Amino acid sequence: STTVSWMKAVNVDYLKSFGDHNLNITLDASQQDYKWTSTGVGRPILTEDPTLRYFSVTGEEKGYYELRAAYTLIGYLARVSYNFNNQYYIEGVVRRDGSSRLAPGQRFRTFPAGSIGWRISSEKFMQNQNIVSDLKLRAGYGETGNEQTTAGWKYISIAGVVPPSYNVGNPQANNLGIAYVNFPNKDLTWEIGRTLNVGFDAVLLDNSLNFSMDYYYKKTVGIIQNVELAPTTGIQSLADINIANVSNTGFEFQVGYTKNFGEFGFSVNANLTTVKNQVLSLANHTALRDAGLEEGLPIGFIYGYKVGGIFQDQADIDKYNQTVDDQNSTEQAPGDIYFQNLHGDPTPGSTAVNPVPDDVLNSYDRTYLGKTIPGYYGGVTLTGTYKNFDLSLFFQGRGDVQKYNDFRAAGESMNGYGRNQFATVLNAWTPDNRNTSLPRAVYADPNDNLRYSDRFVEDAGFLRLQNLQLGYNLPQNLLRKTNSISGLRIYLTGINMFTITNWSGLDPENDLYPSTRQYLIGLKATF
């Protein structure tokens, strides 16, 4: 395969000061041409011994596939920045971007932005005080575009050989037909991100304390997603559609403090971001809950059944079976899980939830089980110095987030297929062990206790000591004796030292590739 990317750009800057007036003008134009080609050829390998595998070229090979891609991005930018005496600030930006991967008429889009600022600490009424060293208020609004979420050229319909086959004349003959296999969406356009930001920056207490806070509101309009079309279209291929508008709102905080107490120095830097994510609207108000999309809920939410409890005896089963479980209505036994009947079937042609339960437990009784976007995340760095020693610790964490534990679902399946199980299955329901949340162990899971439910949804928040470093700088009076070394530092680093979490798996971020604990010893010399 071969990938070639060409970038052409021109940039012009103009800076001028007129007394207290400062002006900066920037003009920029760029073009990126991207080409990618890949060709493959193969032949059967008749051995399992990797040392005997080879591919000899005879010159008669033919490519069994060939893939090509090429597209162009063009961008123009104009920015004007002005400030008066570094006290009052105003800036305006206009971008115009174009992509060849969108249909004619949709390729170019203009994205404006602007900001204002006021350095309050420069005002006369702030001069006779010694608490605030610097204080600046600021606000901004901007739009950005994104077309990277589309595979490209989705405005063109492609003819291809697709099933089903058809019969002409001979009823035993199966003939493949040519059909347009995808939906050409000529209205597909840019995703647009619109962000409003208001905040302030402050430096206090003789520059020892700095603090900033921002409120942000970001609305993403026309999110592009690959979705399945209605069966009535006769098209099986997924289509790229501007399907949703989503908002993200929250606060961002940053604080830093530095202080020396004789030979001891201390500093702390922390940041915290809060996020409220919400789907504002979907195309035709059609919920795609299996994809985690529904108006009023966060994008990518967890969707499934809610556990009601465990059958303790046949009387519980008889009472429950007044509601028919369409997953399996005849094979419940004491020790099986029963699930909550929350909704009725929706109105035909609508995906809106029917809040009135009916007498059937089916897929329409699935519901919101948690959100996969953290409600807040951040980090803290602590640094201390004493004489020639230094110590730093970096903590990071997140919270208000849930996750489905696939590994625990497999490890507590108890369906009799012989795979390794978690030790927790020893607490499974039995007639003598009824006070448990684990169902009975049974071959093939006839009641479908393992259906996707809140049984395996867990809190995925954590606080992790991500990095710890202890260092020592050799004294200068010793280094001078070498006549060549001006600095020598020895340090010990620990990575992923510990994690505080309620998550029962290996790692709340990634159970498949969990973070590893590492120890490093280093030496840094300056000559």
Side-chain angles (χ1 to χ4, degrees):
S1 62
T2 303
T3 301
V4 178
S5 179
W6 289 93
M7 171 68 78
K8 294 174 285 187
V10 58
N11 180 275
V12 178
D13 282 310
Y14 175 77
L15 293 89
K16 186 68 175 179
S17 295
F18 309 89
D20 291 332
H21 304 275
N22 302 288
L23 181 66
N24 183 3
I25 299 175
T26 299
L27 301 175
D28 185 273
S30 64
Q31 176 177 322
Q32 182 177 10
D33 298 306
Y34 176 88
K35 293 184 179 180
W36 176 70
T37 60
S38 179
T39 303
V41 63
R43 63 170 53 182
I45 295 174
L46 304 178
T47 176
E48 295 182 358
D49 187 347
T51 64
L52 299 179
R53 294 176 185 174
Y54 65 94
F55 185 90
S56 60
V57 178
T58 65
E60 298 181 358
E61 289 79 16
K62 296 181 180 180
Y64 71 94
Y65 73 83
E66 184 171 358
L67 303 174
R68 297 185 181 187
Y71 68 89
T72 298
L73 293 173
I74 297 177
Y76 305 98
L77 178 144
R79 180 177 63 204
V80 178
S81 300
Y82 167 81
N83 77 76
F84 175 76
N85 196 28
N86 293 318
Q87 185 173 354
Y88 306 103
Y89 301 81
I90 185 170
E91 180 175 282
V93 181
V94 177
R95 284 194 63 95
R96 184 160 178 82
D97 294 315
S99 171
S100 65
R101 299 199 293 182
L102 299 173
Q106 303 289 352
R107 290 176 175 169
F108 281 88
R109 188 86 184 197
T110 301
F111 305 101
S115 63
I116 56 175
W118 176 27
R119 176 160 278 113
I120 302 176
S121 55
S122 296
E123 298 290 347
K124 292 182 179 180
F125 61 81
M126 294 289 292
Q127 301 307 308
N128 297 322
Q129 52 83 37
N130 54 10
I131 297 177
V132 179
S133 303
D134 189 35
L135 178 61
K136 182 181 179 182
L137 297 180
R138 46 186 169 70
Y141 171 82
E143 295 186 2
T144 58
N146 177 35
E147 47 78 66
Q148 295 295 309
T149 46
T150 174
W153 306 282
K154 293 298 184 177
Y155 60 92
I156 300 173
S157 187
I158 302 173
V161 179
V162 294
S165 58
Y166 66 94
N167 305 109
V168 176
N170 183 0
Q172 304 300 320
N174 291 321
N175 302 292
L176 293 177
I178 303 296
Y180 289 103
V181 298
N182 66 294
F183 171 72
N185 185 5
K186 295 184 178 181
D187 295 325
L188 184 69
T189 187
W190 294 78
E191 290 183 2
I192 303 174
R194 298 169 178 163
T195 303
L196 173 67
N197 187 87
V198 179
F200 70 89
D201 304 305
V203 180
L204 311 171
L205 305 178
D206 195 23
N207 298 318
S208 62
L209 175 65
N210 62 81
F211 179 79
S212 66
M213 186 190 77
D214 289 87
Y215 168 78
Y216 67 91
Y217 175 85
K218 181 177 181 180
K219 181 179 179 181
T220 305
V221 178
I223 287 179
I224 300 172
Q225 186 158 345
N226 206 230
V227 299
E228 183 177 342
L229 300 177
T232 53
T233 64
I235 296 175
Q236 297 180 357
S237 300
L238 302 180
D240 280 2
I241 298 175
N242 296 101
I243 198 169
N245 298 338
V246 175
S247 69
N248 286 279
T249 60
F251 292 89
E252 295 179 336
F253 303 93
Q254 289 188 349
V255 62
Y257 179 75
T258 302
K259 191 69 174 179
N260 291 321
F261 304 92
E263 293 184 301
F264 176 74
F266 172 76
S267 69
V268 56
N269 291 278
N271 65 82
L272 176 68
T273 298
T274 67
V275 182
K276 181 182 179 182
N277 177 273
Q278 186 179 31
V279 175
L280 300 177
S281 64
L282 293 167
N284 299 319
H285 305 289
T286 300
L288 302 171
R289 298 185 181 93
D290 287 320
L293 291 173
E294 182 175 358
E295 292 181 356
L297 294 178
I299 194 169
F301 67 90
I302 304 172
Y303 183 60
Y305 294 93
K306 288 186 72 69
V307 171
I310 292 180
F311 295 126
Q312 299 298 327
D313 50 38
Q314 187 60 41
D316 285 347
I317 297 174
D318 294 340
K319 180 180 180 181
Y320 176 79
N321 276 340
Q322 295 176 14
T323 298
V324 177
D325 186 344
D326 74 348
Q327 295 287 324
N328 196 315
S329 60
T330 61
E331 298 190 48
Q332 296 98 344
D336 280 331
I337 292 176
Y338 63 89
F339 299 88
Q340 296 182 25
N341 180 19
L342 300 174
H343 311 126
D345 289 355
T347 303
S350 171
T351 60
V353 172
N354 180 356
V356 181
D358 54 17
D359 57 357
V360 177
L361 181 79
N362 54 26
S363 61
Y364 296 119
D365 292 298
R366 293 178 294 169
T367 188
Y368 172 89
L369 301 178
K371 61 191 185 74
T372 58
I373 297 176
Y376 59 88
Y377 58 90
V380 178
T381 300
L382 302 171
T383 303
T385 60
Y386 179 72
K387 294 184 178 180
N388 292 337
F389 290 93
D390 61 85
L391 175 67
S392 66
L393 301 93
F394 171 57
F395 294 88
Q396 66 174 132
R398 70 181 188 186
D400 189 22
V401 60
Q402 293 78 46
K403 188 176 177 180
Y404 189 85
N405 194 329
D406 295 282
F407 285 87
R408 187 163 71 87
E412 295 182 354
S413 60
M414 296 184 295
N415 55 13
Y417 287 112
R419 63 174 67 122
N420 292 333
Q421 299 286 279
F422 287 0
T424 51
V425 301
L426 297 174
N427 192 37
W429 187 96
T430 67
D432 298 324
N433 183 39
R434 297 170 179 263
N435 187 23
T436 177
S437 61
L438 270 72
R440 66 181 178 128
V442 57
Y443 180 77
D445 191 19
N447 186 57
D448 198 16
N449 293 325
L450 284 172
R451 72 187 74 178
Y452 204 92
S453 71
D454 62 345
R455 175 184 169 191
F456 299 110
V457 175
E458 300 182 15
D459 177 7
F462 68 89
L463 176 64
R464 173 178 292 148
L465 178 53
Q466 183 63 39
N467 189 284
L468 181 151
Q469 187 172 100
L470 176 64
Y472 177 73
N473 292 283
L474 266 67
Q476 287 295 317
N477 57 353
L478 293 178
L479 297 178
R480 292 191 192 99
K481 296 178 181 180
T482 66
N483 295 322
S484 60
I485 303 177
S486 58
L488 185 63
R489 182 171 182 266
I490 304 171
Y491 59 91
L492 172 66
T493 300
I495 299 174
N496 188 29
M497 299 302 293
F498 64 80
T499 302
I500 301 173
T501 181
N502 292 325
W503 180 254
S504 66
L506 297 176
D507 190 302
E509 289 187 295
N510 193 326
D511 272 336
L512 188 59
Y513 301 103
S515 299
T516 58
R517 184 173 296 118
Q518 303 174 55
Y519 297 97
L520 307 172
I521 297 177
L523 180 69
K524 182 178 180 181
T526 304
F527 299 92

